[in-house]
Amino acid sequence: MVNFEVIEEYDHEQVVFCSNKEAGLRAIIAIHNTTLGPALGGTRMWNYKSHDDAMKDVLRLSRGMTYKAAVSGLNLGGGKAVIIGDSATQKNELLFRIFGKFVEGLAGRYITAEDVGTSVTDMEFVRMETKYVTGVSKALGGSGDPSPVTAYGVFMGMKASAKYKWGSDSLAGKKIAVQGAGQVARYLCEHLYNEGAEIYLTDINESKVKRVLETIKAQVVKPEEIYSLDVDVFSPNALGAIINNDTIGKIKAEIIAGGANNQLEREDLHGLMLMEKGILYATDYVINAGGLINVASELEGYSQDRALKQAEKIYDVIRKIFEISAKENVPTNEASNKMAEERLRSVGRISNTYTGRSSFSGRLGELFHK
Ligand code: NAD
């Protein structure tokens, strides 16, 4: 059943159902808001329990992309796609090419990228049918792995947090607990180590920890120990919902700054609990925007230097959010939403009938003005 109430509740412009029996494709593309530019967001492939779950996920994630792009100063809107299915067994060229045709049909209102369950190879199949795709391999002019840029943005956001909390943005001598030793954590640890921080590292996968220890020194701890360490900064870079009723009581760090998505188990509660405990929380979707900045950079002809320069600005954005939070006495996650909404309001919502603006340049302009 099409449920307009749900779509209205999330305030979306357009939701597209894509189906092709032969390819076994069932997908939903959600365009949340194109006030600032074309809606960019990845395609997630997941075995959802129900179509309702898929719908909720795509609406929630695409709205999140609007906020992330807006707060990061990007000329992009928010969108996301989900393909319903098992990414381990149901992927093939036809599926992604047919999906690519649907993306092409949106004529640039939505630009896709890889996400959970999809890969660079999948996006290359999508690319055969549409140019409205980012995150393809470097060989095809894409941006490749976004993690170095994400990690640099997290590092900048952590420094801004240190400056706000302690008056200096140096992390030298600071004790930092890093949860996860994956792609983002690996590059982040290098920055922290070079700055002279004391790193405590954990991962459920020992080989990941070993790889990080090839380039830096860190004290390795058990996964369950990471929350209660006597450290200055807790940096979550693994999974979501790790800030919750159970962990907030354990955290001794004065700052939480990490790249993981959806860190607060409950947006409406746990940001407030952190504020009341005096823990400075660098909002996840702001501090980890380097990944989006990286793929967005593809639209102007990819340059990692340019992407890194832009990710550096996360420092200022985080600082501004702390200022809004203090001035308005609201949790930092709420201050981040306010800042994003303010930018959207200042540009003005020109949904549904949006036809593009002349200020875009490069591939972004070319794509969006089509
Ligand atoms: P990754 O898969 O390379 O690394 C995640 C690591 O977390 C893995 O090594 C995994 O073993 C570990 N892990 C899982 N559960 C754990 C637990 N309970 N305790 C400790 N470690 C655990 O992923 P990534 O690309 O480094 O991304 C990390 C986080 O950052 C994710 O939440 C991701 O959504 C987010 N993020 C990543 C990017 C990016 O550019 N890669 C951009 C924005 C946000």
Side-chain angles (χ1 to χ4, degrees):
M1 287 287 283
V2 177
N3 187 335
F4 276 103
E5 282 73 29
V6 178
I7 297 172
E8 282 159 11
E9 183 195 327
Y10 281 81
D11 206 18
H12 279 69
E13 290 178 12
Q14 188 178 11
V15 178
V16 182
F17 291 86
C18 317
S19 147
N20 184 295
K21 262 193 182 174
E22 195 194 347
L25 176 73
R26 282 180 169 178
I28 311 171
I29 300 173
I31 296 176
H32 178 252
N33 187 303
T34 56
T35 299
L36 300 171
L40 193 150
T43 297
R44 181 165 291 197
M45 185 162 181
W46 195 256
N47 223 348
Y48 291 99
K49 283 201 193 101
S50 69
H51 295 159
D52 269 0
D53 283 359
M55 181 74 167
K56 274 189 204 139
D57 209 28
V58 78
L59 293 179
R60 179 181 67 84
L61 293 167
S62 53
R63 184 175 59 177
M65 293 307 293
T66 297
Y67 279 74
K68 187 176 229 169
V71 87
S72 310
L74 294 167
N75 286 329
L76 288 171
K80 202 90 182 182
V82 295
I83 296 178
I84 301 165
D86 184 351
S87 65
T89 57
Q90 284 173 261
K91 283 206 230 177
N92 56 57
E93 177 175 348
L94 180 66
L95 183 90
F96 285 101
R97 290 188 71 156
I98 299 280
F99 176 70
K101 283 182 195 286
F102 282 104
V103 174
E104 175 70 12
L106 288 165
R109 278 176 56 74
Y110 170 65
I111 302 170
T112 197
E114 62 173 309
D115 197 77
V116 176
T118 59
S119 66
V120 170
T121 311
D122 302 331
M123 288 309 121
E124 286 171 4
F125 290 138
V126 173
R127 180 74 178 254
M128 290 174 187
E129 304 295 340
T130 182
K131 57 183 173 298
Y132 304 118
V133 54
T134 56
V136 290
S137 64
K138 282 198 167 152
L140 288 181
S143 54
D145 178 14
S147 311
V149 177
T150 304
Y152 186 59
V154 172
F155 177 58
M156 284 293 131
M158 196 186 287
K159 283 175 81 63
S161 308
K163 173 86 179 162
Y164 192 82
K165 193 81 180 172
W166 303 310
S168 159
D169 68 9
S170 169
L171 296 168
K174 296 291 179 198
K175 294 180 177 169
I176 301 176
V178 178
Q179 182 181 46
Q183 284 301 95
V184 174
R186 171 185 173 200
Y187 294 107
L188 174 65
C189 282
E190 284 178 12
H191 291 298
L192 298 176
Y193 183 72
N194 292 337
E195 176 110 346
E198 204 178 303
I199 303 167
Y200 295 77
L201 183 64
T202 195
D203 197 291
I204 49 169
N205 183 337
E206 264 181 43
S207 67
K208 294 288 181 80
V209 172
K210 266 194 195 145
R211 191 182 61 170
V212 175
L213 294 180
E214 282 168 13
T215 50
I216 64 136
K217 285 198 181 71
Q219 196 165 316
V220 180
V221 299
K222 294 201 179 93
E224 62 277 14
E225 285 170 6
I226 199 78
Y227 302 105
S228 48
L229 293 176
D230 196 1
V231 292
D232 301 298
V233 181
F234 170 52
S235 182
N237 296 284
L239 60 170
I242 33 74
I243 298 168
N244 53 46
N245 288 344
D246 180 39
T247 58
I248 290 176
K250 295 181 186 164
I251 294 172
K252 297 194 185 81
E254 290 183 63
I255 289 171
I256 298 177
N261 275 316
N262 306 315
Q263 293 174 24
L264 303 178
E265 188 179 69
R266 275 183 55 188
E267 285 281 331
D268 59 334
L269 176 68
H270 295 124
L272 183 64
M273 282 172 72
L274 290 177
M275 183 168 95
E276 285 171 349
K277 216 185 152 188
I279 298 174
L280 191 62
Y281 168 60
T283 313
D284 49 7
Y285 75 80
V286 182
I287 197 168
N288 74 16
L292 177 62
I293 289 168
N294 195 59
V295 288
S297 171
E298 249 179 67
L299 300 170
E300 309 274 351
Y302 184 65
S303 141
Q304 192 179 59
D305 281 351
R306 182 153 36 78
L308 288 168
K309 277 245 149 55
Q310 189 146 10
E312 205 164 294
K313 293 184 185 153
I314 289 174
Y315 185 105
D316 294 327
V317 178
I318 288 286
R319 186 181 45 81
K320 217 177 233 169
I321 285 165
F322 292 155
E323 284 166 7
I324 296 171
S325 161
K327 194 168 155 224
E328 304 196 14
N329 195 29
V330 293
T332 50
N333 58 310
E334 214 178 300
S336 309
N337 295 348
K338 277 177 181 263
M339 192 169 150
E341 283 160 8
E342 182 49 41
R343 178 161 182 238
L344 288 165
R345 249 195 311 275
S346 74
V347 175
R349 188 186 170 111
I350 321 161
S351 60
N352 304 342
T353 53
Y354 191 74
T355 52
R357 266 188 319 283
S358 56
S359 61
F360 291 124
S361 59
R363 194 174 155 228
L364 182 60
E366 176 200 316
L367 286 174
F368 203 42
H369 286 302
K370 277 251 160 205

